[in-house]
Amino acid sequence: MSRPTIAGVARAAGVSVASVSRVLNGLPATGEMVERVQRAVEELGYVPDSRARSLKVGRTFQLTLAVADVGNPVYVTMMRAVEEVVSAAGYRLVVTTTGPDVVDEVALVRGMARGYADGLVISPLRVDDDLIKSIRECDVPVVVAGNVPSSAGVDTVRANSPKGMLLAVEHLLAKGRKRIAFVNGPVDTVPGTARAKGFADAMKANGLRQVAEVEAADFTFAAGREAGVELLSGLDSGVRSSGVEAARVGRLDAVIAANDLLAVGIMHELAARQLVVPDDVAVIGMDDSELAEQCFPPLTSVNLGSAERGRRAAELLLARIDDDTRTPRRIVVQPTLSVRKSTP
C-alpha cells in the first residue's frame, strides 16, 4: 500500500495542497479548514516527510529562520550569515516570513511542533506574553534575534540600537548639524521602541532638542516617503536650494531614520522639494544594508551588525541543539558608523 501524500490529504479534505501545507505548518487558517485537514490526516494516516525522517535519524537536519519581511535588505544580510553557519554544520535553512503581526509569529513558533525543522531562529518585530510563552514551550530549540526580557530564559542576540543612535547624533553634531529630526517606524515594535529611546537619550546627552519626530506606518521605503511628506510639510516647496538657507526655512538641517528604507524614502521626498542631500539636509539611516551604498547620494548609516547577529544566532542555535541544558546566553552586538556622502 502506498504511503499517503499531501495531495491525497488535500483531495480528502476538499481543499488545495497549499491549504493543507498552511495547516500542517501551523500558519493562520480558518477553524473549518483546520478541522477538515486534521480529519483527513487522521483518516489517511498521513505523516509529513520531515517527521518521518526525524523518526529514523532523530533529526531533520533542517533549520528555520523567521523574519518579518524577507524583502528587507537587513534580513537578507542576516539570512546569508545564518545560512553560511548552518550549512557548514550540515543543515539546510528554510526562510519564512511572519509579517508584522505577533499572532502570526506565535502561530509559526507553535507550528514547529509539526517536526519539519530541528530549530528556529526568529527575529520578531513585535513581542508579547503569548510569543514568549510559545517560545518557552516550543518543542525545538529557539534563538531570538532581537530583544526579549531576560526572564524569557532563551538565547538572544540583539543590536545595541541606543549606542548606534548616539553615534549618529554625535556625527551630525561634529559636522555642525544641530537641528535634527527623527523618523521612526511603529513605536510598538522592538526596533521602534529601542530606537526612539536611543534617539531621545542621545539628544539629551548632547544638550540638543529635537526639531521633530515622526512615526512612519512601517519600516519600508513607501512609509518613509509618506513620513517625509509629514516631516517636511513646513518647508516651502517653491524655494530652490541655496545651501543652509533652504534648510532654515523648515528649521531642519538633519534627519536620522530608524532604518535605511525609511531614510531613502525621506531622501526622495527631499529631492522632490528641490532640497539637496547633504547640503540642505543631512540624512543618516540605520542597518547599513546594501541599499545604503546603492542609493544616491550613498547613505551614511549605522551598522547594527546584522551579519554578525545572524552568525551568532546560528551558532547559539547549533549549540542549543547539541545541549539543551545550557544556560541561556544574551549577546549584544555593538554598532559602528559607516560614513558616506549623505552627511557632509
Side-chain angles (χ1 to χ4, degrees):
M1 182 177 178
S2 61
R3 183 172 179 271
T5 66
I6 192 171
V9 172
R11 286 193 297 271
V15 299
S16 68
V17 170
S19 296
V20 174
S21 178
R22 189 171 185 82
V23 172
L24 293 180
N25 288 331
L27 298 175
T30 65
E32 179 187 0
M33 182 184 295
V34 171
E35 182 180 353
R36 290 166 66 178
V37 170
Q38 289 178 342
R39 187 186 306 119
V41 166
E42 292 174 3
E43 290 176 352
L44 297 176
Y46 173 76
V47 179
D49 289 342
S50 59
R51 178 63 59 84
R53 271 199 315 275
S54 180
L55 291 173
K56 291 179 181 178
V57 302
R59 291 184 181 179
T60 66
F61 290 97
Q62 184 164 278
L63 302 175
T64 298
L65 170 64
V67 298
D69 177 10
V70 294
N72 188 320
V74 71
Y75 292 132
V76 174
T77 300
M78 182 180 292
M79 174 194 68
R80 289 171 178 164
V82 172
E83 198 278 332
E84 181 179 352
V85 173
V86 302
S87 63
Y91 287 86
R92 182 175 63 179
L93 182 66
V94 175
V95 181
T96 188
T97 301
T98 62
D101 296 330
V102 71
V103 65
D104 292 331
E105 296 170 345
V106 172
L108 184 138
V109 174
R110 290 176 177 167
M112 297 301 294
R114 303 291 179 183
Y116 59 84
D118 298 325
L120 169 68
V121 174
I122 184 170
S123 183
L125 195 58
R126 291 178 170 85
V127 174
D128 65 5
D129 291 341
D130 284 344
L131 179 61
I132 292 173
K133 182 175 183 291
S134 67
I135 291 173
R136 283 175 175 166
E137 297 175 352
C138 189
D139 288 349
V140 301
V142 179
V143 173
V144 177
N147 194 18
V148 296
S150 58
S151 58
V154 298
D155 294 306
T156 62
V157 182
R158 67 175 177 86
N160 190 342
S161 291
K163 183 177 179 180
M165 196 63 73
L166 182 63
L167 292 175
V169 169
E170 290 183 342
H171 173 69
L172 290 170
L173 187 58
K175 297 298 183 179
R177 304 298 174 104
K178 298 180 180 180
R179 298 187 299 277
I180 306 170
F182 177 47
V183 175
N184 199 3
V187 295
D188 66 336
T189 62
V190 173
T193 298
R195 293 170 198 185
K197 184 178 186 304
F199 178 74
D201 290 347
M203 295 291 281
K204 182 178 180 180
N206 285 280
L208 300 174
R209 295 180 61 183
Q210 67 184 41
V211 172
E213 183 169 338
V214 175
E215 180 184 351
D218 205 345
F219 291 94
T220 62
F221 167 81
R225 187 72 189 264
E226 292 174 1
V229 172
E230 180 179 350
L231 176 65
L232 302 171
S233 59
L235 290 175
D236 182 358
S237 60
V239 177
R240 287 190 172 272
S241 171
S242 58
V244 177
E245 185 61 32
R248 286 177 182 158
V249 176
R251 297 171 47 252
L252 174 72
D253 61 17
V255 179
I256 299 175
N259 76 349
D260 291 345
L261 288 166
L262 290 173
V264 174
I266 293 162
M267 289 168 67
H268 275 246
E269 186 58 29
L270 287 167
R273 293 168 182 263
Q274 301 180 343
L275 292 168
V276 177
V277 176
D279 297 353
D280 299 325
V281 181
V283 179
I284 295 182
M286 298 192 81
D287 287 334
D288 197 24
S289 62
E290 291 181 351
L291 180 63
E293 291 185 303
Q294 295 167 352
C295 67
F296 185 82
L299 177 67
T300 293
S301 185
V302 178
N303 189 323
L304 293 172
S306 56
E308 179 66 11
R309 282 183 282 144
R311 284 192 290 270
R312 300 298 294 274
E315 291 166 356
L316 285 179
L317 184 58
L318 293 174
R320 178 63 57 187
I321 290 171
D322 288 340
D323 180 8
D324 196 36
T325 65
R326 297 172 63 257
T327 301
R329 294 191 60 192
R330 294 175 62 83
I331 296 173
V332 180
V333 175
Q334 299 303 325
T336 58
L337 184 67
S338 298
V339 179
R340 300 187 180 90
K341 298 294 185 179
S342 70
T343 54

